[in-house]
Amino acid sequence: MIRAFRAGDRDACLALFDGNSAPYFAPSERADFAHFLDHDAAKWVFQVAERDGHIVGCGGMAIGGNGRIAHFCWGMVDRTLHRQGIGTALVYARLDRAAQAGVREVRLDTSQHSRAFYERLGFRAESVTADGYGPRLDRCDMVLMLRP
């Protein structure tokens, strides 16, 4: 089940981050994620994936001012549950919402460790910044064009 993030989900989302920190996130990003959860989650239509009453994934999306470009943020799944379709379901839920809103372009940035996952879903890399998030953690900017 995918639903809207609630303030009571904060600790579970931080636990997801901790479980994916190194290699997927730089440990130094934790404070940014905590701030995001406390102050920006609603603006980014942040969602969580639940299984058997436990939060097993999360991810957000914001639509830009022109209404045509959406940006994904903070997508992650419990590391012990990777490759079970949870991340894919979270991406498709956000893509469906974007398409219904008239979005034509979806952008995100991720590390080299998640790049192939997004490529399998149709995203393409536009640029890669070596050590963009920290030592040995490259930033990969990606885009997906949606059909009208």
Side-chain angles (χ1 to χ4, degrees), residues 79-134:
R79 193 170 184 167
T80 67
L81 301 174
H82 285 187
R83 300 192 177 273
Q84 294 187 24
I86 299 165
T88 300
L90 278 163
V91 168
Y92 285 148
R94 290 181 282 172
L95 289 175
D96 286 346
R97 180 171 274 205
Q100 289 173 11
V103 166
R104 295 294 166 245
E105 181 177 315
V106 179
R107 297 186 159 276
L108 61 85
D109 58 274
T110 191
S111 74
Q112 72 270 28
H113 302 292
S114 300
R115 177 180 174 172
F117 166 76
Y118 287 106
E119 285 177 333
R120 285 191 299 274
L121 297 175
F123 286 83
R124 66 175 174 77
E126 285 193 317
S127 65
V128 176
T129 305
D131 300 327
Y133 295 120

Side-chain angles (χ1 to χ4, degrees), residues 1-3 5 9 12-13 16 20 46-51 54-59 74-79 81 86-87 90:
M1 176 177 93
I2 297 174
R3 63 165 175 79
F5 170 83
D9 301 329
C13 288
L16 291 174
N20 281 290
F46 203 65
Q47 297 177 300
V48 297
E50 270 188 326
R51 180 188 278 177
H54 299 285
I55 293 175
V56 295
C58 59
W74 296 115
M76 63 192 83
V77 171
D78 181 320
R79 193 170 184 167
L81 301 174
I86 299 165
L90 278 163

Side-chain angles (χ1 to χ4, degrees), residues 11-26:
D11 290 344
C13 288
L14 287 171
L16 291 174
F17 179 91
D18 294 340
N20 281 290
S21 183
Y24 298 99
F25 296 100

